[in-house]
Amino acid sequence: MKKLMYFAMLTVISCALLLAGCGNKSAGNSSEDLSTGTAEAAVKVTMLNVGQGDAILVETGSQTVLIDTSDVDERKKLESELKKANVSKIDKLILSHPHADHIGGVDVVLKNYPVGEIYDNGMISTNKLFINYVKAAKEQNIPRKGLKAGDVLDLGNGVTFKVLYPTAELVETATKADKEAAETKKKGYKHDPNNESVVGILNYKSFNMFFTGDAEGPVEKKLLSTDKDVLSAQVLKSPHHGSKTGSTMNFLKAMNPKDVLISCGEGNSYGHPNDEALQNYSEMKMNVYRTDLNGTIVLTTDGKKYIIKGEK
Ligand SMILES: [Zn+2]
């Protein structure tokens, strides 16, 4: 009898875990029947399994968009993940900020794929990787544009990416200081690249996913003061690989996401994701998907329902 009870309990626990892991959700708060287990794959967001860095593929059915390219040491992984995803061209390459774990693979992307346009935070950087891709883009005649709050990118098929950060004011101040410094050979603007990350909302019908780059608490605080009414999203791209510097409770409460996707390397030396961030996600009762544990993570949505599946 005891044994039977044990099995019954195990079954209940397994079912609960399965339900949590399956991630078949409604984008709204409606109580639609989600038992079919599929969402029409009109739009697909893939968090590529690229070790310690970010690289996220957005396929809208009309355009292929890559957000970040992971690190220099992870180029092989990026190449194989893009191959696995059957990518033949990249219409838009969005680079959140000029840190190596986000722009380290740009050269591989520019070498292997035709790229339509490159978008970054519009600021000047002394990072060699940044200087190299600006040069490569010029050589290949790929337009490079800076993104700032208020910009809306059309990703085709009714999908948009609305930029919330950096502000035009920040871009202008930093660029002015850097240009002046270049002329006078003085030190330029004191950049804080994580907190200059391109932050925005991917929208498709009633589905919203929030992209953060490596933005930290100060950006979250700023957005709470300027954009609280538009922060709502069902899915969050974990800021800064789940570092404790971001994912503050106030921010999570305002957004109220159901699921969070974390890109981080297995056994990484930074301790990403951090326990504090995970604790906050747990307090918010969010489902957590991690590339270090789940491998490549694929989200598909028809603009109403969405499904998230980890490779493992
Ligand atoms: Zn990073």
Side-chain angles (χ1 to χ4, degrees):
M1 192 60 188
K2 248 188 182 168
K3 212 171 184 183
L4 204 68
M5 281 283 286
Y6 175 71
F7 274 118
M9 266 178 69
L10 254 189
T11 313
V12 170
I13 292 167
S14 312
C15 284
L17 282 176
L18 255 175
L19 280 171
C22 178
N24 184 4
K25 311 282 159 39
S26 168
N29 288 323
S30 66
S31 55
E32 285 173 78
D33 179 20
L34 302 175
S35 58
T36 51
T38 54
E40 208 181 298
V43 172
K44 193 161 146 188
V45 179
T46 308
M47 184 170 261
L48 303 175
N49 185 13
V50 286
Q52 187 61 23
D54 269 6
I56 302 155
L57 193 67
V58 179
E59 294 164 280
T60 68
S62 136
Q63 291 184 29
T64 301
V65 181
L66 182 66
I67 304 178
D68 287 334
T69 62
S70 196
D71 213 328
V72 177
D73 296 343
E74 314 285 16
R75 283 173 178 148
K76 284 263 169 297
K77 286 181 196 151
L78 178 70
E79 277 189 289
S80 84
E81 285 285 273
L82 289 172
K83 217 175 248 175
K84 204 169 82 185
N86 281 320
V87 171
S88 59
K89 64 171 172 74
I90 289 162
D91 298 285
K92 290 182 171 72
L93 173 62
I94 301 174
L95 302 165
S96 66
H97 65 296
H99 268 161
D101 59 326
H102 296 255
I103 62 167
V106 174
D107 57 345
V108 162
V109 174
L110 293 181
K111 194 178 85 199
N112 294 353
Y113 298 98
V115 174
E117 289 159 318
I118 300 179
Y119 295 88
D120 57 29
N121 68 5
M123 287 185 235
I124 298 164
S125 170
T126 51
N127 184 321
K128 229 179 159 194
L129 293 163
F130 170 86
I131 293 166
N132 286 347
Y133 87 66
V134 170
K135 195 169 154 233
K138 217 176 223 172
E139 280 167 7
Q140 295 184 34
N141 288 320
I142 304 167
R144 179 186 152 242
K145 296 170 190 168
L147 293 172
K148 58 184 184 319
D151 290 345
V152 180
L153 289 183
D154 178 0
L155 307 187
N157 200 22
V159 182
T160 58
F161 183 75
K162 184 179 179 347
V163 181
L164 299 179
Y165 204 81
T167 59
E169 193 190 359
L170 170 60
V171 176
E172 204 180 302
T173 307
T175 307
K176 199 174 157 214
D178 282 335
K179 280 187 177 161
E180 271 173 21
E183 282 164 17
T184 56
K185 297 225 160 77
K186 278 186 191 151
K187 271 195 176 172
Y189 185 78
K190 201 172 178 302
H191 286 276
D192 176 7
N194 286 348
N195 291 318
E196 294 167 2
S197 288
V198 171
V199 173
I201 300 176
L202 179 99
N203 170 263
Y204 180 47
K205 297 178 186 170
S206 60
F207 174 79
N208 282 335
M209 178 166 172
F210 201 84
F211 287 82
T212 53
D214 277 356
E216 301 173 335
V219 175
E220 295 181 356
K221 205 173 162 189
K222 165 96 183 138
L223 292 176
L224 281 173
S225 72
T226 53
D227 292 280
K228 199 171 181 179
D229 49 336
V230 296
L231 284 185
S232 165
Q234 294 90 4
V235 182
L236 170 68
K237 196 294 285 185
S238 179
H240 199 185
H241 321 281
S243 153
K244 66 176 174 187
T245 52
S247 303
T248 53
M249 271 317 273
N250 283 346
F251 184 69
L252 295 179
K253 276 181 187 163
M255 182 177 296
N256 196 23
K258 303 283 172 267
D259 301 271
V260 61
L261 273 51
I262 306 173
S263 182
C264 60
E266 223 177 307
N268 69 80
S269 58
Y270 303 95
H272 292 158
N274 183 268
D275 285 345
E276 251 174 71
L278 291 176
Q279 181 59 38
N280 288 354
Y281 298 149
S282 157
E283 237 173 89
M284 291 293 295
K285 299 192 168 37
M286 292 160 67
N287 301 305
V288 178
Y289 301 85
R290 302 164 49 165
T291 55
D292 61 336
L293 300 180
N294 304 117
T296 311
I297 301 161
V298 180
L299 179 153
T300 51
T301 178
D302 60 2
K304 277 169 82 186
K305 295 181 225 167
Y306 66 97
I307 300 169
I308 302 172
K309 277 180 185 159
E311 193 180 29
K312 48 187 177 185

